[in-house]
Amino acid sequence: MTALLPLRVAVIGAECTGKTTLCQALAQDAAGIWVPELLREFVQTSGRVPSPSEQPLLIEEQVRREHMALAEAARKGATRVLIDSTPLVTALYSAMYYEDRTLLALASSHQRRYDVTLVTATDLTWEADGIQRDGPAARDRFHALLMHWLVAEDIPHALIEGSGAARLASARKAIDGTRST
């Protein structure tokens, strides 16, 4: 009997759309492993946003942490690894803020490796959470860019809407649909 590999669930979206809250709930829900958002950690630790030259390093570290989480999930028998933002988000922010599109091909290729991609909608009230935030207009601009890119690159994804229990149920439904296919 072969054990199932952990499901790799990417949770991506613009700022202040509930990615971290959703990841934590989904990890707890199924005894999963949560990979926290690296950009949030970077900003909290350094007190600034990353420079253009630091973007590739963030992607490299994100991928390293994902591999570590997958190994941990395999050891613990966890059924899910929840990735709170992915290299694609870093690459798209780099394109949006620095007009640097060099990371997009690699990041798109990496995004295709996830078993499911959940995109958090912008239907939650925008709230600053004490770290670098640009506001509702920038959030909407990034969300549009992300959705356009996912469609243009034909990357399967599920839009997760609603709040609280409804948002969690929407995410569960998208994940469960992946396991049954």
Side-chain angles (χ1 to χ4, degrees), residues 9 11 19-20 23 34-38 62 82-86:
V9 180
V11 180
K19 296 179 301 291
T20 298
C23 280
W34 167 50
V35 180
E37 182 182 2
L38 184 58
Q62 176 71 37
L82 289 301
I83 294 103
D84 188 345
S85 290
T86 68

Side-chain angles (χ1 to χ4, degrees), residues 3-152:
L4 287 175
L5 294 174
L7 194 66
R8 295 163 299 167
V9 180
V11 180
I12 60 177
E15 66 179 54
C16 300
T17 57
K19 296 179 301 291
T20 298
T21 300
L22 183 60
C23 280
Q24 290 170 331
L26 289 168
Q28 185 176 37
D29 192 35
I33 305 294
W34 167 50
V35 180
E37 182 182 2
L38 184 58
L39 179 59
R40 176 186 299 260
E41 178 186 318
F42 181 93
V43 171
Q44 287 174 329
T45 302
S46 66
R48 62 178 178 80
V49 297
S51 68
S53 65
E54 291 169 314
Q55 301 294 335
L57 301 173
L58 284 174
I59 288 176
E60 184 179 303
E61 178 62 13
Q62 176 71 37
V63 170
R64 186 186 75 75
R65 289 181 182 197
E66 288 176 18
H67 288 299
M68 288 175 37
L70 286 167
E72 180 184 353
R75 281 192 311 275
K76 291 182 173 181
T79 59
R80 293 181 192 159
V81 174
L82 289 301
I83 294 103
D84 188 345
S85 290
T86 68
L88 181 60
V89 172
T90 303
L92 285 170
Y93 271 118
S94 193
M96 186 168 118
Y97 286 109
Y98 304 123
E99 297 181 10
D100 178 3
R101 300 176 56 84
T102 61
L103 303 171
L104 286 169
L106 173 71
S108 292
S109 175
H110 185 81
Q111 192 68 37
R112 288 183 180 85
R113 297 178 188 164
Y114 299 110
D115 298 304
V116 62
T117 294
L118 306 178
V119 180
T120 52
T122 58
D123 56 346
L124 299 179
T125 303
W126 185 90
E127 292 180 34
D129 63 2
I131 64 172
Q132 175 66 34
R133 296 293 180 198
D134 292 326
R139 176 177 81 162
D140 292 343
R141 182 174 158 220
F142 181 80
H143 180 76
L145 175 63
L146 174 61
M147 295 304 289
H148 173 80
W149 190 262
L150 291 169
V151 170

